[in-house]
């Protein structure tokens, strides 16, 4: 039976929180979505998610520089999803880490678009080849959590094309995901789910033929969204009620959505079946951690630790690790390992004391115990970093500080025994200059999932030699960051005045000293690079190099390829990553490695033709095992276009970067747009941001009334009450309805009437 227009409209909204609506001609099939990217977050109901393996976070996996590893893990996740009757994994998340404080950085790969794009491609292939659908997210620029529902990221076309669209281009063109999730935020004054321009791009230019799914509660104007190219609004809402008498206007869009949704459900939908937990992949997860850990410092070769050495292990994180973050990625783990239990497998003589409590606080008692514990030991392993679940979705971190108690405890240990190895656990960069002073050795695990402790023990004991490299810069402090001066000023407009100078592109160019640069990392072995060859074909740059393990340890190493162009007519970073591989080499073994790079990766934005082009002329190719050890280079020439050289005279401040001020007046010369998105409202309605209530008449009364409703709902759970109140501050009411647990429309109507006086 043919579907009526109303049936078709009904398909464009979720059936509930996770399921899609299914056309009547596919009766019996069901299609369930489920969160990732750390594992299968299968919700039974609002209060319970079934246990499943919590794999290392993308922040951790990106540091492996190992595409195959990311593929394998996602294949395992995809298989598990299938076992449980789940069709779509809402993963990978690939937003560029522009903002060091972004609460969701642990869910994303990198500050670099090629690293992020290629890791995303591997994750997508892993999921898709297991038979699950990938949903790459959040398209586009969702990297500021505090105001993600309202903020317009105002960004120039050069940065947009060379950085923020580039990783999505690689992921979508090469990874071929079956679906894309549109982000909550606006870009240049337009909600992505309402932007024909941004939704057309993957379909028309990158070969995307799948489904656009909105982020949860992310559709504001449903009609415009459907007309612009969105297929499915998630989760269920009543927005379609207002569209039933506008079906004629929507007929063309509904043809498209019905076709896309039907094709999707035919391919990925399941008949109802018994769900099954299998949970394979715990060994893979610990192998992944060991291969992602980064060795940042190794003075006097303090690492690895020998089996018979006498060791003091300090830090509450060794009992309760910082293995994952808060939010939609949070899976219920099977069994979170503790370093305290794992290290004794590999090292005979260990004494443990927590040193600080679960909140990162210390006191005289803890400090006394530290004294007893570290005395007479050959080495001290001190675990510190971020507190578990203090980084997460919905808000940015307030700062990059390590809890003070951890540092006081570290200083105490150091005052008695200076042979300190610090093991860092965190979702994103911390200020570690003090840590560097105290530690002879530093290892960084990021958030390594439930098997993190096993991976850490393998590396500490030298069973695996570290081969991770930083996928983002660790600046000395947030004050040094290129976004410092325009962070969090306005909840509606965020001018990305630093343009392309994101992460290392800024620190290199402005010559800012950082704690550790992008691409940095040491090993227990050494590698020699020789015989670099470079060839340009019609579509690719092909580099070949011989890599030999000349150290004492058999291990993997990344091989990184950068380019640099000194005489460019456009502004560029000092160098940029264009490709990488990872290879395992036994002692004395050598291999010839080939890295092929699509020439598209080398393109830059031409302000004149408004297109991505190859710039004519000479380039330098740099290769090595870390960004600070690019031991070989070669010059090559590209035939392309000569860019207009007037740009240098027009915006010299983007060619010669002095500091991180990036004034709006300069930015306006590369951003010829008059955008000033005003999200504030004069009255209270579904789009009013909660924090703004108080600027409206009777706003305080309305705010307190809503707080009362929350207190009533979560009576007895003070922590939940506090968290809910904090979470909703930057939420518009349409989102509060989706997430706060308050489902009854009456309370919202009451709030609106208090303010609007109706
Ligand atoms: C997050 C998405 C997630 C979705 C469903 C949203 O709040 O931004 O990443 O997939 O919720 O849980």
């Amino acid at each position: 039976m043919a579907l009526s227009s109303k049936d078709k409209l009904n398909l464009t909204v979720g059936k509930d929180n996770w399921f899609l609506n299914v056309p009547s001609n596919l009766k019996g099939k069901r299609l369930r979505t489920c969160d990732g990217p750390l594992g299968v977050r299968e919700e039974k109901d609002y209060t319970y998610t079934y246990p499943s393996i919590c794999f290392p976070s993308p922040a951790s996996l990106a540091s492996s520089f190992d595409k195959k590893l990311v593929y394998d893990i996602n294949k395992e996740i995809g298989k598990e999803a299938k076992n449980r009757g789940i069709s779509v994994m809402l993963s990978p998340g690939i937003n560029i880490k522009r903002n060091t404080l972004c609460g969701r950085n642990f869910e994303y790969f990198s500050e670099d678009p090629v690293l992020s794009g290629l890791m995303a491609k591997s994750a997508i292939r892993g999921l898709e080849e297991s038979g699950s659908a990938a949903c790459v997210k959040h398209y586009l620029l969702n990297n500021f959590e505090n105001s993600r529902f309202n903020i317009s990221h105002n960004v120039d076309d050069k940065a947009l094309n060379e950085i923020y669209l580039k990783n999505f281009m690689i992921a979508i063109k090469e990874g071929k995901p079956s679906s894309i999730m549109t982000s909550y935020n606006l870009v240049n004054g337009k909600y992505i789910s309402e932007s024909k321009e941004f939704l057309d791009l993957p379909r028309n230019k990158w070969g995307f033929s799948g489904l656009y799914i909105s982020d949860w509660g992310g559709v504001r104007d449903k009609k415009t969204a459907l007309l612009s190219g969105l297929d499915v609004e998630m989760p269920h809402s009543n927005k379609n009620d207002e569209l039933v008498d506008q079906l004629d206007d929507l007929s063309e869009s509904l043809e498209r959505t019905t076709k896309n949704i039907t094709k999707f459900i035919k391919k990925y939908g399941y008949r109802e079946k018994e769900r099954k937990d299998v949970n394979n992949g715990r060994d893979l997860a610990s192998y992944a951690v060991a291969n992602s850990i980064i060795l940042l410092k190794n003075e006097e070769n303090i690492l690895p630790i020998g089996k018979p050495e006498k060791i003091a292990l300090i830090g509450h994180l060794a009992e309760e690790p910082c293995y994952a973050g808060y939010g939609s990625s949070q899976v219920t783990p099977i069994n979170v390992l503790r370093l305290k239990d794992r290290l004794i497998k590999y090292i005979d003589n260990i004494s443990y004391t927590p040193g600080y409590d679960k909140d990162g606080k210390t006191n005289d008692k803890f400090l006394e115990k530290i004294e007893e514990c570290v005395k007479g030991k050959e080495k001290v392993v001190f675990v510190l970093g971020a507190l578990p679940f203090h980084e997460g979705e919905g808000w940015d971190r307030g700062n990059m500080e390590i809890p003070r108690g951890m540092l006081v405890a570290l200083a105490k240990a150091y005052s008695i025994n200076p042979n300190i190895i610090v093991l860092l656990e965190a979702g994103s960069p911390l200020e570690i200059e003090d840590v560097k002073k105290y530690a002879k050795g530093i290892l960084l695990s990021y958030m390594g999932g439930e098997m993190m402790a096993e991976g850490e023990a393998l590396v500490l004991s030298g069973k695996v030699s570290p081969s991770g490299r930083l996928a983002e810069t660790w600046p000395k402090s947030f004050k040094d960051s290129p976004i410092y001066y325009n962070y969090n000023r306005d909840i509606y407009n965020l001018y990305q005045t630093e343009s392309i100078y994101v992460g290392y592109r800024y620190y290199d160019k402005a010559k800012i000293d950082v704690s550790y640069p992008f691409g940095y990392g040491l090993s227990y072995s050494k590698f020699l690079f020789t015989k670099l060859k470079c060839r340009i074909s019609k579509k690719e740059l092909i580099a070949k190099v011989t890599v030999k393990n000349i150290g004492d340890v058999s291990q993997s190493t990344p091989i990184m390829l950068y380019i640099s162009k000194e005489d460019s007519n456009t502004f560029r970073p000092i160098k940029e990553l264009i490709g990488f591989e990872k290879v395992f080499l036994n002692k004395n073994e050598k291999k010839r490695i080939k890295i092929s790079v699509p020439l598209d990766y080398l393109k830059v934005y031409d302000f004149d033709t408004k297109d991505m082009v190859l710039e004519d002329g000479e380039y330098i190719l740099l290769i090595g095992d870390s960004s600070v050890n690019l031991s070989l280079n070669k010059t090559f020439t590209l035939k392309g276009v000569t860019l207009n050289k007037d740009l240098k005279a027009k915006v010299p401040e983007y060619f010669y970067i002095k500091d991180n001020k990036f004034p709006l007046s300069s930015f306006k010369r590369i951003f010829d747009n008059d955008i000033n998105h005003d999200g504030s409202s004069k009255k209270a309605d579904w789009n009013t941001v909660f924090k703004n209530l108080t600027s409206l008449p009777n706003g305080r009364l309305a705010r307190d009334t809503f707080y009362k409703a929350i207190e009533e709902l979560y009576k007895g759970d003070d922590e939940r009450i506090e968290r809910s109140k904090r979470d909703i501050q930057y939420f518009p009411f349409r989102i509060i309805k989706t997430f706060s647990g308050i489902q009854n429309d009456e309370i919202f109507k009451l709030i609106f009437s208090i303010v609007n006086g109706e």
Side-chain angles (χ1 to χ4, degrees):
M1 210 177 64
L3 299 176
S4 69
S5 301
K6 216 171 149 193
D7 294 337
K8 290 179 185 170
L9 180 66
N10 192 38
L11 293 179
T12 68
V13 67
K15 186 169 162 223
D16 56 20
N17 234 355
W18 303 111
F19 285 88
L20 260 58
N21 275 314
V22 173
S24 49
N25 51 352
L26 296 179
K27 251 209 173 102
K29 284 222 174 188
R30 57 211 275 288
L31 193 132
R32 179 178 186 153
T33 64
C34 174
D35 266 313
L38 280 77
V40 181
R41 183 179 176 277
E42 184 194 1
E43 228 180 58
K44 183 175 177 216
D45 55 39
Y46 203 56
T47 57
Y48 182 80
T49 55
Y50 292 104
S52 99
I53 298 177
C54 177
F55 284 95
S57 64
S60 160
L61 289 177
S63 317
S64 72
F65 278 73
D66 188 341
K67 294 176 254 187
K68 167 88 169 47
L69 184 62
V70 173
Y71 170 87
D72 287 345
I73 285 193
N74 280 278
K75 196 156 187 190
E76 213 54 77
I77 293 176
K79 278 197 240 159
E80 185 65 23
K82 250 186 124 174
N83 287 329
R84 298 173 184 223
I86 290 158
S87 303
V88 188
M89 284 303 298
L90 304 172
S91 174
I94 72 166
N95 296 99
I96 292 286
K97 298 186 192 187
R98 162 183 185 266
N99 164 13
T100 327
L101 299 182
C102 174
R104 290 187 92 170
N105 277 349
F106 75 93
E107 286 189 60
Y108 303 148
F109 290 117
S110 177
E111 67 188 22
D112 179 84
V114 169
L115 180 53
S116 164
L118 288 173
M119 287 307 191
K121 167 187 173 182
S122 303
I124 292 165
R125 288 320 312 146
L127 290 170
E128 296 277 344
E129 283 165 30
S130 73
S132 292
C135 183
V136 62
K137 66 189 186 185
H138 312 85
Y139 181 66
L140 187 68
L141 267 150
N142 185 172
N143 50 25
F144 176 58
E145 280 298 290
N146 284 354
S147 195
R148 62 179 169 157
F149 306 112
N150 321 297
I151 197 85
S152 173
H153 288 257
N154 300 332
V155 56
D156 65 274
D157 287 335
K158 182 169 165 73
L160 196 57
N161 283 280
E162 293 180 18
I163 312 278
Y164 301 104
L165 286 170
K166 189 166 175 177
N167 62 335
F168 278 98
M169 175 192 81
I170 297 171
I172 293 166
K173 233 174 151 173
E174 301 181 30
K176 303 195 184 345
S178 302
S179 55
I180 298 176
M181 186 189 291
T182 54
S183 60
Y184 289 121
N185 55 282
L186 304 83
V187 173
N188 293 343
K190 276 220 147 178
Y191 283 92
I192 293 291
S193 60
E194 295 172 20
S195 163
K196 190 161 160 42
E197 183 194 344
F198 284 119
L199 298 185
D200 275 352
L201 180 65
R203 283 193 169 131
N204 296 345
K205 293 259 174 79
W206 303 340
F208 175 61
S209 59
L211 211 59
Y212 274 120
I213 301 177
S214 78
D215 200 345
W216 269 229
V219 174
R220 193 196 52 136
D221 174 345
K222 176 90 185 249
K223 185 173 178 184
T224 309
L226 289 175
L227 290 171
S228 306
L230 187 81
D231 297 304
V232 179
E233 175 201 3
M234 284 300 283
H236 183 74
S237 90
N238 297 329
K239 288 205 176 70
N240 283 351
D241 295 354
E242 290 156 25
L243 300 181
V244 281
D245 52 4
Q246 303 181 52
L247 291 171
D248 284 349
D249 301 349
L250 289 169
S251 63
E252 217 177 287
S253 301
L254 292 177
E255 283 312 306
R256 183 201 70 240
T257 55
T258 307
K259 196 171 119 228
N260 289 343
I261 294 165
T262 307
K263 185 175 119 196
F264 195 73
I265 295 178
K266 271 192 183 156
K267 180 157 180 206
Y268 293 106
Y270 291 117
R271 308 253 153 223
E272 187 98 37
K273 63 172 186 184
E274 199 60 22
R275 60 173 294 287
K276 203 168 59 178
D277 296 5
V278 178
N279 294 315
N280 277 333
R282 278 169 66 87
D283 288 346
L284 175 62
S286 32
Y287 167 86
V289 179
N291 283 281
S292 303
I293 286 179
I294 306 143
L295 176 63
L296 294 173
K297 187 171 180 184
N298 200 13
E299 250 173 50
E300 299 166 21
N301 286 333
I302 190 165
L303 280 159
I305 302 169
K307 195 165 168 37
E309 285 184 283
K310 275 197 197 138
I311 299 299
L313 174 64
I314 302 176
H316 181 83
L317 288 177
E319 286 179 59
E320 203 188 325
C322 177
Y323 71 97
Y326 167 80
S328 60
S329 68
Q330 198 177 335
V331 300
T332 304
I334 307 281
N335 175 21
V336 180
L337 302 185
R338 311 187 315 167
L339 188 61
K340 186 172 173 278
D341 308 328
R342 303 312 283 187
L343 204 54
I344 43 176
K345 265 176 70 188
Y346 304 102
I347 291 160
D348 294 337
N349 198 327
I350 298 174
S351 318
Y352 169 75
T353 190
Y356 54 84
D357 67 10
K358 66 175 183 29
D359 299 316
K361 296 198 173 107
T362 194
N363 58 33
D364 289 347
K365 263 205 181 135
F366 278 121
L367 297 177
E368 263 171 42
K369 288 261 166 61
I370 289 180
E371 189 164 343
E372 278 168 34
C373 187
V374 302
K375 250 190 203 149
K377 300 292 164 12
E378 288 165 87
K379 290 171 186 169
V380 178
V381 175
F382 201 112
V383 198
L384 55 78
L387 296 172
F389 299 102
H390 276 233
E391 285 172 72
E393 180 172 340
W395 71 90
D396 280 5
R397 295 186 293 163
N399 55 54
M400 289 170 48
E401 289 165 16
I402 293 173
R404 224 187 102 64
M406 294 185 183
L407 292 176
V408 171
L410 175 66
K412 175 73 184 182
Y414 173 82
S415 70
I416 300 155
N417 187 336
N419 290 323
I420 306 251
I421 297 161
V422 163
L423 179 58
L424 280 167
E425 296 176 356
S428 39
L430 296 165
E431 290 168 359
I432 53 165
E433 284 303 294
D434 285 342
V435 172
K436 281 172 78 175
K437 277 188 230 146
Y438 295 129
K440 286 187 183 166
I442 305 179
L443 286 169
L444 166 62
S445 326
Y446 275 96
M447 287 175 177
E450 66 179 273
M451 301 300 287
M452 175 164 70
E454 178 66 15
E456 292 172 339
L458 288 169
V459 171
L460 283 164
S461 63
K463 293 274 172 289
V464 175
S465 171
S467 58
R469 300 291 182 265
L470 288 178
E472 64 188 319
T473 311
W474 277 51
K476 285 189 175 171
S477 95
F478 184 58
K479 282 205 176 101
D480 290 340
S481 153
I483 68 162
Y484 177 71
Y485 284 100
N486 68 49
Y487 176 74
N488 220 353
R489 289 255 177 89
D490 184 311
I491 64 168
Y492 299 119
N493 286 285
L494 197 168
Y495 292 93
Q496 301 198 173
T497 56
E498 78 289 350
S499 182
I500 59 159
Y501 295 109
V502 181
Y504 70 90
R505 287 169 165 76
Y506 166 69
Y507 298 107
D508 280 3
K509 187 90 169 190
K511 298 196 176 67
I512 304 294
D513 256 357
V514 296
S515 289
Y516 292 107
F518 172 89
Y520 180 79
L522 308 167
S523 313
Y524 299 157
S525 197
K526 262 194 162 163
F527 297 88
L528 179 70
F529 285 65
T530 52
K531 297 188 193 147
L532 173 62
K533 286 250 158 64
C534 167
R535 188 165 66 80
I536 310 290
S537 75
K538 221 169 159 198
K539 290 207 158 150
E540 282 179 332
L541 175 153
I542 300 146
K544 285 188 182 164
V545 70
T546 301
V547 188
K548 183 172 182 191
N549 185 344
I550 54 165
D552 295 330
V553 184
S554 300
Q555 71 155 99
S556 303
T557 184
I559 296 147
M560 302 175 179
L561 201 58
Y562 289 81
I563 55 157
S564 164
K565 181 160 179 54
E566 279 167 9
D567 62 345
S568 178
N569 283 348
T570 187
F571 52 94
R572 289 177 181 260
I574 301 288
K575 64 177 187 307
E576 43 194 331
L577 186 79
I578 56 163
F580 59 92
E581 289 298 336
K582 194 155 192 186
V583 60
F584 184 90
L585 291 170
N586 286 312
K587 274 190 286 183
N588 285 318
E589 191 185 359
K590 64 177 177 193
K591 272 189 190 150
R592 190 90 181 132
I593 305 294
K594 177 174 159 187
I595 305 184
S596 305
V597 181
L599 290 181
D600 273 353
Y601 293 12
L602 274 57
K603 287 184 173 167
V604 286
Y605 186 73
D606 179 357
F607 283 98
D608 286 348
T609 58
K610 300 194 184 316
D611 204 0
M612 290 290 280
V613 298
L614 282 177
E615 187 179 12
D616 233 6
E618 264 195 6
Y619 293 74
I620 303 171
L621 186 71
L622 303 126
I623 199 160
D625 63 357
S626 119
S627 59
V628 298
N629 188 27
L630 298 169
S631 52
L632 287 184
N633 64 61
K634 195 156 212 82
T635 304
F636 69 96
T637 309
L638 281 184
K639 282 206 187 72
V641 302
T642 307
L643 293 172
N644 190 336
K645 57 179 189 308
D646 296 347
L647 190 65
K648 204 179 262 180
K650 187 177 162 200
V651 285
E653 59 271 58
Y654 283 101
F655 283 77
Y656 311 101
I657 303 295
K658 285 197 303 286
D659 55 33
N660 55 351
K661 299 251 165 54
F662 297 109
L664 196 57
S665 50
S666 298
F667 179 63
K668 289 268 162 98
R669 277 183 272 140
I670 51 168
F671 181 71
D672 54 358
N673 238 315
D674 242 355
I675 288 149
N676 194 6
H677 155 64
D678 183 7
S680 63
S681 34
K682 305 283 167 284
K683 48 185 266 191
D685 58 26
W686 290 109
N687 294 322
T688 304
V689 176
F690 189 82
K691 208 175 168 54
N692 278 357
L693 263 189
T694 48
S695 64
L696 299 173
N698 296 322
R700 278 168 198 272
L701 175 63
R703 178 195 65 190
D704 295 341
T705 308
F706 199 79
Y707 282 165
K708 279 218 178 85
I710 290 179
E711 284 158 15
E712 200 53 43
L713 181 70
Y714 298 120
K715 214 181 202 151
D717 187 347
D718 290 352
E719 207 186 308
R720 184 82 190 256
I721 292 171
E722 276 323 298
R723 204 170 68 207
S724 300
K725 286 184 186 172
R726 182 194 62 190
D727 282 0
I728 61 172
Q729 293 304 318
Y730 294 99
F731 286 17
F733 279 99
R734 65 173 193 279
I735 297 288
I736 295 181
K737 179 155 183 222
T738 313
F739 289 119
S740 71
I742 296 181
Q743 295 299 314
N744 182 349
D745 272 4
E746 292 312 310
I747 179 72
F748 293 98
K749 285 186 192 148
L750 175 64
I751 300 299
F752 301 159
S753 72
I754 291 176
V755 174
N756 302 336
E758 288 152 5

